[in-house]
Amino acid sequence: MQFFSVFARFIGVTASVLGFLTSIRNLLQGLFQGAIGNLSDRFGRKYILLFGFVLSFLIPIPLIFYHNTYFLIFVAIIQAFSVSIIIPTWNAVLGDVTEPSNRGTFIGKITSIGRLISVSVTLAIAGFFAFIAARHNSILTIGKWTITITEEFQYGFIFALAAFNALLCIISVLFLKETRTFVDQEKRNQVPKLHVISRDKKFRRFLLVNSLFGLTMSLIWPINPIILNDYLKLDFPKVAVMTSSFAVFIGVTMIMAGKIVDKIGRKPLIIIAVFTLVFFPVSMIPAILTGKWWLLLLSRFVGGVGTGINMIAINAYTLDLAPNELFGGYSGIRETFYGIATFAGSLAAGFIIDAMEVRYGLYITVLALSIGVTLLRMFAALGFLFISESLPIKNNSNLEKND
């Protein structure tokens, strides 16, 4: 997911198409999550997860060999649909195996492990390709075989690795014990319908605020790969450094955030997260002004810390509000609304970028959008001040004192 948008820009898609690719992924990643989450509540998690990972395994493979704008759109659609299957089901698994008192800590630990493994693998690959480029002029000789390590080859290798990773997930899920079981069919039929969520006032308010913030978040997403590829002209190893540093900051933050969110509550951490993410767009300005790519690491720190805190706090918050029998449904509905909002934001941003670049040039465009989106995020983030705390008071001594 981190390399796909940069690769799309690398092979020459316009900002409008890039905005569409980003927006369609955002939409389809969220659009079906409510329904799929509810299915996992009714029929169990294991085989729904398995189906999602099978799609994730199949879809990156053709990208290794075939590069075409229309095909990229097809890949984005299928990949997004696979994510829409996996995310609510996996979040529901986390809800099944945790209690509110330790939920944030557990989610933080297990999610950070995946992030840090991803970083290690990505940096190892980037280092290997950089070594071949520096010492052997991007020529790799294996016995009688000679391989030219082009940019296309490096991205293709990443897509192959993504497919292999999904295959490992498939194998792992086969050994996963089902966490959502029913004694009989009657119990299964008693799972509430999704419409009960509409009566949950706390969750409705959170949905509105979170979706509005998601819209402002997504306005900057199409400009990010353009800054990396067009403005700073990063090669593959440098792109890998950017994505890996982002993942490192997310992973390390998750470990700490998980413990803190169980002690002081969900709402304070959500507020810290969103107001940190407010400054992600302007944190790219030093790199834009100087043209020095390594200054972009500042933005990865800001975005990584904000994202790491937000992912833990938001997931814990949603699972706290959900009845035990609707963990999947609540998580899915949250992502459905978020996906619709980010679809609108990314789609609009693509057309805005194209129009502004023609009139003002790339430099003014990326600078103006970085400042403008920050202001919009600041306004949207204020809404989180009005959501309710979800952590039960008996599990939080600080909240109990304030009650």
Side-chain angles (χ1 to χ4, degrees), residues 25-43:
R25 290 172 69 195
N26 295 339
L27 177 65
L28 295 180
Q29 281 179 15
L31 190 60
F32 302 105
Q33 284 199 34
I36 292 171
N38 193 240
L39 282 177
S40 78
D41 291 331
R42 290 176 172 276
F43 300 103

Side-chain angles (χ1 to χ4, degrees), residues 211-392:
S211 301
L212 178 61
F213 187 71
L215 188 148
T216 64
M217 286 274 289
S218 64
L219 288 171
I220 204 67
W221 293 347
I223 201 69
N224 188 52
I226 292 174
I227 291 174
L228 295 179
N229 189 77
D230 294 48
Y231 190 75
L232 297 175
K233 301 187 184 303
L234 270 59
D235 57 17
F236 179 86
K238 291 176 182 176
V239 172
V241 168
M242 287 296 120
T243 59
S244 297
S245 61
F246 185 60
V248 166
F249 295 132
I250 290 176
V252 172
T253 302
M254 281 179 165
I255 297 174
M256 297 182 291
K259 296 178 180 179
I260 296 172
V261 79
D262 286 336
K263 292 183 178 180
I264 70 171
R266 321 306 191 196
K267 181 178 176 178
L269 264 291
I270 292 175
I271 291 172
I272 291 172
V274 297
F275 278 97
T276 301
L277 289 169
V278 161
F279 295 101
F280 171 76
V282 292
S283 67
M284 294 191 288
I285 288 180
I288 295 170
L289 293 176
T290 63
K292 295 179 179 179
W293 72 273
W294 53 269
L295 286 176
L296 209 58
L297 289 171
L298 173 63
S299 67
R300 271 50 197 171
F301 172 76
V302 174
V305 170
T307 301
I309 298 173
N310 197 50
M311 289 176 68
I312 299 302
I314 290 290
N315 274 341
Y317 186 89
T318 305
L319 293 170
D320 289 347
L321 292 180
N324 290 349
E325 63 272 17
L326 276 179
F327 282 145
Y330 267 63
S331 296
I333 286 293
R334 182 197 71 210
E335 292 300 318
T336 296
F337 277 77
Y338 194 81
I340 294 171
T342 54
F343 164 79
S346 293
L347 186 62
F351 291 107
I352 293 170
I353 293 166
D354 263 347
M356 288 186 66
E357 186 177 355
V358 170
R359 186 166 183 177
Y360 302 108
L362 184 60
Y363 175 76
I364 296 297
T365 298
V366 296
L367 197 60
L369 284 177
S370 296
I371 296 171
V373 173
T374 294
L375 295 175
L376 290 173
R377 284 189 180 190
M378 178 67 75
F379 173 77
L382 294 174
F384 287 97
L385 298 174
F386 301 98
I387 66 172
S388 304
E389 176 57 61
S390 67
L391 184 64

Side-chain angles (χ1 to χ4, degrees), residues 80-341:
F81 182 62
S82 72
V83 171
S84 75
I85 296 171
I86 294 167
I87 287 181
T89 311
W90 178 248
N91 286 340
V93 169
L94 297 178
D96 292 338
V97 300
T98 58
E99 296 295 332
S101 59
N102 69 347
R103 182 165 287 150
T105 302
F106 183 83
I107 293 174
K109 286 181 178 180
I110 198 167
T111 310
S112 64
I113 290 171
R115 294 281 175 172
L116 296 176
I117 291 174
S118 170
V119 169
S120 302
V121 175
T122 304
L123 286 179
I125 294 169
F128 174 74
F129 286 145
F131 174 79
I132 296 297
R135 295 291 297 273
H136 303 283
N137 296 320
S138 297
I139 302 296
L140 178 63
T141 303
I142 304 176
K144 297 181 180 180
W145 296 88
T146 300
I147 304 172
T148 302
I149 309 297
T150 62
E151 290 280 300
E152 289 90 342
F153 179 89
Q154 293 174 64
Y155 282 106
F157 189 88
I158 284 292
F159 297 138
L161 189 64
F164 177 71
N165 180 70
L167 180 61
L168 293 180
C169 291
I170 291 170
I171 296 170
S172 299
V173 168
L174 291 174
F175 293 95
L176 178 71
K177 182 179 178 180
E178 177 59 64
T179 62
R180 179 68 168 149
T181 56
F182 297 90
V183 177
D184 52 37
Q185 185 63 35
E186 183 179 353
K187 291 289 185 182
R188 189 191 306 275
N189 292 335
Q190 290 174 2
V191 173
K193 302 290 185 180
L194 278 179
H195 64 75
V196 304
I197 296 176
S198 65
R199 298 196 294 268
D200 189 332
K201 293 181 179 179
K202 290 183 179 180
F203 191 64
R204 286 207 318 263
R205 185 186 309 153
F206 167 72
L207 275 182
L208 176 63
V209 172
N210 191 57
S211 301
L212 178 61
F213 187 71
L215 188 148
T216 64
M217 286 274 289
S218 64
L219 288 171
I220 204 67
W221 293 347
I223 201 69
N224 188 52
I226 292 174
I227 291 174
L228 295 179
N229 189 77
D230 294 48
Y231 190 75
L232 297 175
K233 301 187 184 303
L234 270 59
D235 57 17
F236 179 86
K238 291 176 182 176
V239 172
V241 168
M242 287 296 120
T243 59
S244 297
S245 61
F246 185 60
V248 166
F249 295 132
I250 290 176
V252 172
T253 302
M254 281 179 165
I255 297 174
M256 297 182 291
K259 296 178 180 179
I260 296 172
V261 79
D262 286 336
K263 292 183 178 180
I264 70 171
R266 321 306 191 196
K267 181 178 176 178
L269 264 291
I270 292 175
I271 291 172
I272 291 172
V274 297
F275 278 97
T276 301
L277 289 169
V278 161
F279 295 101
F280 171 76
V282 292
S283 67
M284 294 191 288
I285 288 180
I288 295 170
L289 293 176
T290 63
K292 295 179 179 179
W293 72 273
W294 53 269
L295 286 176
L296 209 58
L297 289 171
L298 173 63
S299 67
R300 271 50 197 171
F301 172 76
V302 174
V305 170
T307 301
I309 298 173
N310 197 50
M311 289 176 68
I312 299 302
I314 290 290
N315 274 341
Y317 186 89
T318 305
L319 293 170
D320 289 347
L321 292 180
N324 290 349
E325 63 272 17
L326 276 179
F327 282 145
Y330 267 63
S331 296
I333 286 293
R334 182 197 71 210
E335 292 300 318
T336 296
F337 277 77
Y338 194 81
I340 294 171

Side-chain angles (χ1 to χ4, degrees), residues 2-64:
Q2 294 295 326
F3 287 91
F4 183 82
S5 295
V6 183
F7 173 73
R9 187 64 177 181
F10 171 75
I11 65 171
V13 303
T14 65
S16 298
V17 173
L18 187 60
F20 177 74
L21 282 171
T22 305
S23 64
I24 199 68
R25 290 172 69 195
N26 295 339
L27 177 65
L28 295 180
Q29 281 179 15
L31 190 60
F32 302 105
Q33 284 199 34
I36 292 171
N38 193 240
L39 282 177
S40 78
D41 291 331
R42 290 176 172 276
F43 300 103
R45 323 296 190 195
K46 182 172 180 176
Y47 292 104
I48 294 178
L49 272 179
L50 190 64
F51 178 60
F53 283 125
V54 168
L55 287 181
S56 292
F57 166 69
L58 294 175
I59 199 58
I61 297 175
L63 277 179
I64 304 170

